[in-house]
Amino acid sequence: MTAKARIRGVIIVGLLPALLVFTFFVIVPILWSAWYGFYDWKGIGAMKFIGFGNYLEIIKDPVFATSLRNNLIVVAASVFGQVPIALALSLVLRQSTLFQRIIRSVVFLPMVLSSVVIGIIWGYIYHPQIGILNSLLEWIGLGSWKQAWLSNPDISMYMLAIPIIWNFIGPYMIMYIAALQNIPSEIEDASAIDGAKPMRMLFSIRLPMIWDTIKVTVVLCISGSLKTFDLIYVMTGGGPAHSTELLASYMYNNTFSIYRFGYGSAISTSIIIISTVLIAGSQLLMRRNTR
Amino acid sequence: MMQTPVELKKPLAKRRMFPKVKISRALLNILLSIYGFVTLYPLIWLFLSAFKSNPEFYEFPFGLPKEWHWENFADAWNVARMGVSFKNSFIVTIAALILTLVFGAMAAFVLSRFRFRGRAAAMALFLLGMLIPIHSTLVPLFIMLKKIRLLDTYGALIFPYTAFELSLAIFVTIAYMSSIPKEMEEAALIDGTGYWGFFFRVMLPLSAPALSTVGILAFLRFWNDFAFALVFISKPALQTLPLSLSMFATGYMTDYRLTFAALSLAVIPTIVVYLVFQEQVMKGMVAGAVKG
């Protein structure tokens, strides 16, 4: 009996600190956020219950639509930019020679930089007067292409997708390399003896065998892209005129610039819903492809 | 009998292909080197520009500085008041790191060593933390921190950082602790060491690899965080490094030498950590990518 009581004591003492901090600072805020979404509230003063009013407004809000469209551009750029590039790199960098390890480290390096630093550097790269992108274009004789990359609403979102792709290729590449190295060498040897050419090997052996990893990375790409905030905040602040607004930055601007706490909370909840739908959808699509 | 010609054919075919393979390998390595250089270029440009004077930055954006202006760094340090922000980042990061490691290791110990009612529920709760987008908690956390008067204190960052890192810390550590044999626990208990003695003297030292991965990852995340600092800290005296950098860069947009020197100083600690602990950073980030 005393032994049992002692074990119970250990369990309580061990679990309680983590559980308290986690519940108080992660779980409670999520629940509150869902609840605030039903109110009209300026952060101070009375809260007015308006039911689904905020959500109805979201559906009609043109800026929300722009943010969603921009976010889908980021999602597409991530899925169709990061995944193929990381996959190609992993195929040629999977042998772990010194040279390959160095290139791997270089590709991964942007991951450890603060997103503020990344945003400021790329802001200077794209700068209309002093940016090195324009200097480079001039230097190679394409001076007519020079422009203000981040203030042209037609291209700014695509220009912003480039640092995002550059930033996050590393971890996907490492995941693919690990998966490729896990393929039993007997299978590759057997197919080589059967005369499989490299392309055939890639599409019939390697890709199918790491398909589960690819699925995981697509999910990570989607959920990661929907969280993009720091870079946009530092580089454009969502402007000009909301043209580069993303869901997270729109949520921030609504809440902390114009103090619409209720509306901002409703956007937060929408982000969770949209991200769940996109992830479930992508999983369904990719399951069908394997059959 | 039948196999002999096949055996013969193979090496022959291989020998004929060999020079071609070698050439394409060399070409591939050249392409990879170019790719690596392009990837690294923004950073190279940052460091080189930090040594230039303002006119030189404008006129010769590429290439090495004509004169290496080391004083840029001292000027940036003073003008951007980086001493203060370095101190703040250091305090917040270390405090949150200690809390994450201690609370995380304790919880992982209990969850990996004991079977009890509510264990599955606790695991599911922590798993939920891996799936939640951080930004969706900014608004309610802001309101809550304001109510409990933590807003604009170190605590406004330390506790949320710890809370959001705990899930990952617990799962990485549980995976490691589960692999430590049960017999060690029984031996320790027979020797008269209590459960906590066993935890501190056996489990913690044995879990050092997992804990160091968690620690390095947490360090990078806390040190680089921007969103929480932006929303929860408004006093200039409490600004962490990324926050004060973003303010500085906006205010000193056209003083390129100062901005680039300040950015260089800010990234040096993370690059050093990366160079020293590369393997662990990569492994940890891949595990952490699940959280994103």
Side-chain angles (χ1 to χ4, degrees):
Chain A
M1 277 311 278
T2 46
K4 221 172 189 179
R6 246 178 69 206
I7 289 178
R8 180 179 294 168
V10 171
I11 290 173
I12 290 172
V13 171
L15 213 49
L16 211 56
L19 216 50
L20 278 181
V21 172
F22 184 78
T23 310
F24 200 65
F25 290 98
V26 178
I27 301 297
V28 172
I30 295 287
L31 299 178
W32 270 18
S33 182
W35 184 61
Y36 286 141
F38 295 110
Y39 286 84
D40 182 13
W41 189 37
K42 302 241 174 290
I44 42 167
M47 293 171 66
K48 202 174 119 206
F49 183 80
I50 51 168
F52 283 95
N54 284 327
Y55 291 92
L56 289 175
E57 191 181 337
I58 282 178
I59 293 169
K60 289 188 213 128
D61 185 344
V63 182
F64 184 85
T66 313
S67 315
L68 182 59
R69 189 195 65 119
N70 287 340
N71 236 321
L72 292 178
I73 292 177
V74 176
V75 169
S78 301
V79 173
F80 297 107
Q82 281 161 6
V83 169
I85 295 174
L87 200 54
L89 285 170
S90 71
L91 285 166
V92 292
L93 291 175
R94 66 179 194 283
Q95 276 109 352
S96 308
T97 60
L98 179 64
F99 173 75
Q100 297 194 352
R101 287 208 308 268
I102 292 173
I103 300 290
R104 271 190 224 166
S105 307
V106 168
V107 173
F108 199 90
L109 181 65
M111 280 299 289
V112 304
L113 303 178
S114 149
S115 48
V116 170
V117 173
I118 291 175
I120 298 172
I121 298 179
W122 281 85
Y124 277 111
I125 289 178
Y126 289 148
H127 197 284
Q129 280 93 42
I130 55 150
I132 49 171
L133 181 56
N134 279 344
S135 308
L136 183 73
L137 287 174
E138 181 124 29
W139 190 54
I140 58 174
L142 292 171
S144 58
W145 291 17
K146 283 167 58 174
Q147 57 173 308
W149 300 100
L150 293 180
S151 16
N152 178 351
D154 293 334
I155 53 164
S156 52
M157 213 46 236
Y158 301 97
M159 298 317 286
L160 285 167
I162 293 174
I164 295 173
I165 294 175
W166 171 80
N167 195 351
F168 294 104
I169 287 177
Y172 301 127
M173 175 190 68
I174 299 292
M175 289 173 86
Y176 294 144
I177 290 176
L180 285 170
Q181 287 174 345
N182 272 342
I183 298 177
S185 56
E186 294 86 21
I187 297 181
E188 286 177 356
D189 291 347
S191 66
I193 290 167
D194 287 346
K197 296 267 181 324
M199 274 300 145
R200 184 72 202 272
M201 186 96 107
L202 176 65
F203 286 107
S204 299
I205 310 268
R206 297 210 170 105
L207 286 186
M209 293 216 53
I210 65 167
W211 192 247
D212 281 337
T213 309
I214 296 177
K215 275 199 222 169
V216 171
T217 53
V218 168
V219 170
L220 295 177
C221 263
I222 295 172
S223 64
S225 308
L226 288 171
K227 285 180 221 163
T228 312
F229 170 74
D230 300 10
L231 241 121
I232 299 290
Y233 181 87
V234 173
M235 290 176 75
T236 67
H242 295 300
S243 63
T244 58
E245 201 82 82
L246 294 184
L247 293 174
S249 66
Y250 190 47
M251 183 270 298
Y252 174 87
N253 285 336
N254 261 297
T255 318
F256 299 104
S257 305
I258 55 174
Y259 301 106
R260 297 192 61 197
F261 279 68
Y263 195 55
S265 298
I267 297 176
S268 303
T269 310
S270 310
I271 296 176
I272 299 183
I273 296 169
I274 291 168
S275 132
T276 313
V277 169
L278 279 181
I279 289 169
S282 71
Q283 287 302 79
L284 268 176
L285 268 176
M286 293 182 70
R287 182 176 303 156
R288 206 168 292 156
N289 273 1
T290 52
R291 275 183 196 150
Chain B
M1 270 201 306
M2 286 293 284
Q3 265 168 12
T4 327
V6 177
E7 290 269 320
L8 261 174
K9 222 176 170 181
K10 271 277 162 201
L12 256 180
K14 241 185 193 162
R15 194 167 300 146
R16 225 177 14 177
M17 269 175 67
F18 198 57
K20 203 174 142 201
V21 168
K22 212 170 177 183
I23 291 168
S24 63
R25 190 77 233 179
L27 189 72
L28 190 64
N29 283 353
I30 293 171
L31 287 177
L32 279 173
S33 306
I34 295 172
Y35 183 85
F37 179 75
V38 172
T39 299
L40 207 55
Y41 191 75
L43 217 57
I44 299 173
W45 180 62
L46 166 69
F47 284 119
L48 289 180
S49 303
F51 285 100
K52 293 177 179 173
S53 64
N54 275 336
E56 200 189 345
F57 174 86
Y58 185 74
E59 278 168 59
F60 306 101
F62 306 103
L64 298 175
K66 291 205 180 62
E67 232 179 292
W68 297 77
H69 292 278
W70 286 93
E71 73 276 8
N72 288 354
F73 294 101
D75 293 352
W77 181 272
N78 292 328
V79 177
R81 301 182 354 117
M82 292 183 81
V84 178
S85 49
F86 254 96
K87 187 196 79 185
N88 290 334
S89 274
F90 196 76
I91 292 174
V92 170
T93 301
I94 296 297
L97 197 56
I98 292 172
L99 286 184
T100 305
L101 286 175
V102 172
F103 290 177
M106 280 163 63
F109 169 62
V110 168
L111 289 169
S112 66
R113 288 281 128 175
F114 303 104
R115 299 281 170 274
F116 54 94
R117 228 175 38 173
R119 179 176 171 276
M123 297 274 271
L125 196 68
F126 285 121
L127 187 67
L128 199 64
M130 309 257 267
L131 307 172
I132 289 166
I134 285 188
H135 296 112
S136 59
T137 61
L138 278 177
V139 183
L141 256 181
F142 174 84
I143 297 161
M144 194 171 83
L145 291 169
K146 196 172 172 184
K147 275 190 181 146
I148 57 176
R149 291 170 195 281
L150 266 184
L151 213 59
D152 249 330
T153 66
Y154 288 134
L157 296 179
I158 294 171
F159 292 112
Y161 285 172
T162 307
F164 277 95
E165 200 65 22
L166 269 176
S167 296
L168 183 68
I170 288 173
F171 280 100
V172 170
T173 318
I174 283 182
Y176 203 86
M177 283 184 169
S178 305
S179 68
I180 297 171
K182 193 90 181 156
E183 289 77 28
M184 298 194 81
E185 182 181 326
E186 284 153 12
L189 290 178
I190 290 166
D191 284 353
T193 318
Y195 282 105
W196 291 115
F198 171 68
F199 172 69
F200 282 111
R201 271 177 238 145
V202 183
M203 291 302 268
L204 274 192
L206 280 177
S207 311
L211 291 175
S212 64
T213 300
V214 169
I216 293 162
L217 201 64
F219 166 82
L220 288 172
R221 237 208 276 267
F222 300 162
W223 187 267
N224 287 337
D225 167 73
F226 177 63
F228 279 1
L230 175 70
V231 176
F232 303 150
I233 299 293
S234 51
K235 275 193 199 130
L238 292 181
Q239 284 175 356
T240 55
L241 203 49
L243 182 59
S244 85
L245 270 182
S246 81
M247 307 266 171
F248 179 72
T250 324
Y252 285 76
M253 228 359 223
T254 51
D255 201 332
Y256 316 116
R257 66 177 193 106
L258 285 190
T259 308
F260 278 74
L263 290 178
S264 303
L265 287 172
V267 297
I268 287 170
T270 56
I271 291 182
V272 169
V273 166
Y274 177 60
L275 291 179
V276 176
F277 300 107
Q278 240 181 84
E279 284 297 308
Q280 272 149 313
V281 171
M282 287 190 187
K283 254 190 270 166
M285 287 236 170
V286 167
V290 179
K291 193 184 163 200

